Amino acid sequence: MKRAMNEILIVTNKIESSTIKRNFDKKKSFRWVYLASDYRLMKQFSRELGENFAVVNISDVLNQVADEIRAEHVEWIDSLNRANGGRLSWWFGVVSSRHVYYSKLFLYSCYLLALQRIWQHEETRPNLIIADSPGLQECISIWLQAQNVRVTVKKESACKRFQGVIRPLVQFLAAAAVFATRYFAALVTKSRATAHVGPQVVVDTFVHDISLAEDGGFTDRYFPFLHEYLSVKGHKVLVHPVLHGFKYNYMSIFSRMRKSSTRFIIQEDYLRLSDYAVALFTPFTLCNMIVTLENFKGFDLEPVVREELYLQPFFPVVQSILAYRLWHRLRQAGVELAWVINWYENQVTDKALIAGVRAAYPGIRILGAQLFIHVPNYLSLYPSQSELEAGITPDLMVMTGEAECNAVQKYVLKIPCRAGAALRYSHLFNMTERIENTSELKNTILVLPPGYLDETLEILDMLLDALPDAPSGMEYLIKCHPDFSLATIVNAFGREQWPNEFRIWDGNLTDAFQVAGMVVASNSSSMVEAMVMGIPSILIGRQSNLNMNPLAEISSASFEICFNGFQLAKAIARFYSLSQDERDTLIRGGLLLRDQFFTPVDADGLMEFEVTQG
């Protein structure tokens, strides 16, 4: 049956566009809105639905809503944490995490508020809503029916629903395989027990495959200069590695750790089979947890909370339980701690480390280092009041500068914080002078895609849309993220539409900044570095997802956010036409910005990573 003009069809993005079109009269025009995060799929729906379906653009309103409701949403999660946080495993789950790359609760809340706003205007009220998931589909249906709107909900196929039902079992088997592989690799490479004599300063940091050379030489990209400083000061350093990007290939990295002069905590050397048994089955308790829940801003979010719990990623939960229990095993093994320096992103594994150290080593101080610029929509980076009350935040936080010390306390009443050496940004205090006449660089745009393919394609699509209206003769230098090869990006974007103006930059980022007249990026902290160097920056606003804007807290005339190709072309033209005097002013302003956000890497700054007990 064809839809009436006043009846709303709600589908998920797993439904074929041909199926959707069969529900509408081919002779009439309709409006549709895409409340889902997959940008490429949005483009596909737009092509396949055809000219009879006009999309309602929500990019700008979605950005506004996110700005307005962040604090309320964190308070709402805090209420859930207080009601359900009596169980330790709750803190290691996706709902409490606020991690926007694992949990979509904040994004879905923004979708619902954005829908509420466009619904207020007849010209933007949709006939078709494409939702990200069945849970969101149900939330939308509940709200619309409460507005006395006629709603038809088209469910996913039985096959897709069955895939969702068996997902926890598939995740369990995958997690079990990873940890079994790790355990076997650690056992095979272990030649003898490593003795850790005396109090150790534990440095918790991410370890990638490139972090260790074949001879065991260790390069810590998160804490450069710190290991050498602590050693010179006479401290014994013990690295707690958070392994990233290995999947099932652990034999080589464990072998290199064993031969390294840097001492590592390899958790498999201490954990017992009983620890793994508890850890592997904990996610099932989270999947079936019944939570105390209140509406958020008038919306019933129970369907998406229930969905998030059921679709709970297993690996972070399992690793969190193991990370928590590890410190008890280390204490049993006689390992003494001086203090702990945690690369603190407030992920569930960070909470597990803090809780585990506090339980096994009462009185040991934990320093949480956040040596990055905060992004407002990346909610999990900020500690919340309920987390502080539960004792799963650091004793002391070290930030890159005073401005970040103020920013990080957005959702807590008070947490000790100080500015320390901005270890990863030392080059900003030793910058090579840009050429005297920076106006000569105005034709060159440095494009910095993030580590997410769909977001990268969104940037390239908008640049392509902007080309006809942007100043002619521009050159676009695209520096690929290390997670993606050029071939991957070009093939996904489409070789046939790759313009001549796009050129790949193979050099390093520091050299790229030297030739850039402006920067175009999305979700890249390098934009802050560009601003410090006086380079104008343009953020590409997401069409149907949260904007990860590292410059949101920075007020500057040399920054713009653009949500379509026309806006982008205007911004490029504005920055292109800057005079040399205006560019010199930006460079001077950048130095002031540097002093606000970054602390020099010197003895005074490094001293902030030392902790006096008591």
Side-chain angles (χ1 to χ4, degrees):
M1 178 182 292
K2 307 300 182 187
R3 300 299 105 194
M5 291 297 288
N6 61 343
E7 186 174 353
I8 309 302
L9 176 65
I10 310 173
V11 301
T12 71
N13 57 2
K14 303 296 189 296
I15 302 294
E16 298 290 337
S17 56
S18 57
T19 301
I20 294 173
K21 292 172 72 173
R22 284 198 292 270
N23 288 269
F24 290 90
D25 191 332
K26 295 180 180 179
K27 299 179 181 179
K28 295 180 180 179
S29 298
F30 301 92
R31 289 182 295 271
W32 65 288
V33 65
Y34 186 75
L35 303 181
S37 56
D38 191 327
Y39 168 76
R40 286 178 289 173
L41 201 52
M42 176 184 176
K43 297 282 287 186
Q44 180 180 327
F45 272 116
S46 185
R47 289 193 305 268
E48 294 177 352
L49 287 174
E51 59 185 16
N52 284 6
F53 289 81
V55 64
V56 178
N57 189 299
I58 63 165
S59 57
D60 194 33
V61 68
L62 190 65
N63 191 55
Q64 294 172 8
V65 166
D67 285 346
E68 294 170 15
I69 72 168
R70 274 193 294 265
E72 290 179 83
H73 193 270
V74 172
E75 289 176 4
W76 182 72
I77 294 292
D78 272 347
S79 70
L80 293 184
N81 290 344
R82 294 187 182 103
N84 303 283
R87 291 163 288 189
L88 181 66
S89 59
W90 169 262
W91 296 103
F92 305 155
V94 67
V95 172
S96 70
S97 75
R98 295 178 290 122
H99 195 304
V100 294
Y101 290 104
Y102 289 118
S103 170
K104 292 187 175 181
L105 280 177
F106 179 52
L107 175 61
Y108 287 176
S109 299
C110 292
Y111 282 157
L112 291 167
L113 267 295
L115 176 62
Q116 183 183 58
R117 294 198 180 176
I118 64 174
W119 194 263
Q120 295 171 358
H121 306 283
E122 183 65 36
E123 65 272 15
T124 56
R125 190 172 295 176
N127 311 101
L128 166 68
I129 299 172
I130 300 179
D132 203 51
S133 73
L136 179 60
Q137 183 184 36
E138 187 176 347
C139 287
I140 294 169
S141 177
I142 291 171
W143 180 75
L144 285 175
Q145 290 181 48
Q147 314 305 308
N148 296 316
V149 177
R150 293 172 58 191
V151 174
T152 299
V153 176
K154 190 165 187 62
K155 300 289 187 180
E156 294 178 353
S157 67
C159 178
K160 292 189 183 298
R161 291 199 297 271
F162 177 72
Q163 291 174 3
V165 169
I166 66 170
R167 179 185 170 114
L169 177 59
V170 172
Q171 288 199 99
F172 170 81
L173 294 174
V178 169
F179 286 103
T181 303
R182 282 186 58 157
Y183 190 86
F184 177 75
L187 187 65
V188 169
T189 58
K190 186 176 181 180
S191 55
R192 60 183 175 84
T194 303
H196 303 299
V197 180
Q200 316 284 313
V201 179
V202 173
V203 176
D204 165 82
T205 185
F206 283 98
V207 170
H208 306 261
D209 189 54
I210 61 173
S211 300
L212 281 104
E214 286 303 318
D215 63 357
F218 176 54
T219 301
D220 190 344
R221 59 187 286 194
Y222 298 89
F223 291 112
F225 310 107
L226 181 63
H227 297 262
E228 295 83 355
Y229 172 80
L230 292 172
S231 296
V232 168
K233 296 286 285 186
H235 300 297
K236 297 178 180 179
V237 178
L238 187 58
V239 174
H240 175 249
V242 180
L243 303 181
H244 181 75
F246 293 94
K247 199 172 182 181
Y248 301 106
N249 303 314
Y250 292 96
M251 195 72 71
S252 174
I253 193 66
F254 282 156
S255 295
R256 283 174 276 162
M257 283 184 185
R258 302 292 192 192
K259 67 175 71 170
S260 178
S261 59
T262 301
R263 296 173 306 146
F264 292 92
I265 299 171
I266 296 179
Q267 66 181 27
E268 287 75 12
D269 292 347
Y270 300 93
L271 293 170
R272 301 175 184 176
L273 291 178
S274 59
D275 297 319
Y276 288 96
V278 171
L280 283 167
F281 284 97
T282 296
F284 286 110
T285 66
L286 281 169
C287 286
N288 296 290
M289 185 178 287
I290 298 174
V291 302
T292 303
L293 188 67
E294 297 178 356
N295 283 2
F296 176 69
K297 296 186 74 66
F299 289 96
D300 181 358
L301 297 186
E302 182 183 354
V304 289
V305 171
R306 188 172 64 243
E307 181 179 72
E308 293 240 323
L309 288 170
Y310 191 77
L311 298 178
Q312 171 73 57
F314 269 45
F315 186 88
V317 180
V318 175
Q319 180 53 45
S320 294
I321 296 295
L322 295 177
Y324 172 79
R325 296 171 76 94
L326 170 64
W327 302 99
H328 175 66
R329 299 303 183 195
L330 287 169
R331 185 66 181 262
Q332 288 180 328
V335 177
E336 299 178 64
L337 303 189
W339 72 88
V340 176
I341 302 172
N342 168 220
W343 178 265
Y344 178 63
E345 295 182 5
N346 199 23
Q347 296 196 46
V348 292
T349 49
D350 295 313
K351 296 171 186 175
L353 178 146
I354 294 168
V357 170
R358 291 229 168 98
Y361 293 90
I364 292 298
R365 302 273 285 172
I366 302 169
L367 186 154
Q370 293 200 326
L371 305 182
F372 46 76
I373 301 300
H374 286 74
V375 178
N377 281 337
Y378 204 154
L379 296 182
S380 59
L381 297 179
Y382 302 81
S384 75
Q385 187 62 30
S386 67
E387 293 165 346
L388 183 65
E389 294 165 3
I392 53 174
T393 57
D395 296 295
L396 172 69
M397 296 184 66
V398 176
M399 318 303 291
T400 60
E402 291 296 338
E404 286 302 289
C405 275
N406 295 328
V408 76
Q409 304 198 53
K410 187 176 296 186
Y411 305 120
V412 291
L413 294 177
K414 187 172 181 61
I415 190 168
C417 183
R418 63 194 188 195
L423 301 176
R424 299 202 301 167
Y425 300 94
S426 62
H427 58 281
L428 295 180
F429 294 90
N430 190 29
M431 291 187 296
T432 303
E433 291 293 329
R434 283 161 61 80
I435 65 173
E436 184 175 340
N437 187 8
T438 54
S439 63
E440 293 180 7
L441 305 175
K442 65 182 183 180
N443 286 45
T444 305
I445 298 176
L446 177 61
V447 182
L448 301 174
Y452 301 93
L453 186 58
D454 65 327
E455 201 164 350
T456 296
L457 297 177
E458 198 163 349
I459 292 175
L460 297 179
D461 273 351
M462 195 176 292
L463 283 169
L464 188 64
D465 291 342
L467 285 180
D469 297 310
S472 60
M474 304 297 293
E475 183 178 40
Y476 300 80
L477 300 183
I478 299 170
K479 187 182 186 310
C480 299
H481 192 277
D483 287 350
F484 298 108
S485 67
L486 170 61
T488 299
I489 293 175
V490 172
N491 289 335
F493 181 74
R495 289 183 178 275
E496 68 285 350
Q497 64 172 352
W498 189 270
N500 295 329
E501 293 89 342
F502 286 7
R503 184 163 70 85
I504 300 299
W505 176 264
D506 294 323
N508 61 46
L509 183 59
T510 302
D511 291 341
F513 281 140
Q514 298 305 312
V515 298
M518 68 188 82
V519 165
V520 172
S522 176
N523 194 8
S524 174
S525 61
S526 297
M527 297 180 74
V528 182
E529 298 173 63
M531 295 283 284
V532 166
M533 296 178 188
I535 306 173
S537 297
I538 302 170
L539 180 86
I540 300 300
R542 305 297 306 276
Q543 295 302 296
S544 63
N545 210 330
L546 299 170
N547 289 308
M548 296 300 158
N549 181 7
L551 301 174
E553 307 291 340
I554 300 174
S555 177
S556 174
S558 61
F559 166 70
E560 285 197 22
I561 180 170
C562 300
F563 292 98
N564 56 56
F566 179 70
Q567 291 178 0
L568 177 57
K570 283 181 62 178
I572 291 173
R574 182 170 82 83
F575 292 141
Y576 173 83
S577 63
L578 291 177
S579 68
Q580 185 59 46
D581 285 345
E582 289 172 317
R583 293 176 185 276
D584 291 341
T585 299
L586 294 183
I587 292 174
R588 291 192 295 271
L591 294 176
L592 296 175
L593 190 67
R594 181 190 67 183
D595 294 339
Q596 287 180 302
F597 283 86
F598 302 103
T599 303
V601 182
D602 55 21
D604 290 339
L606 286 162
M607 187 172 62
E608 302 298 344
F609 292 91
E610 293 189 87
V611 172
T612 301
Q613 299 300 323

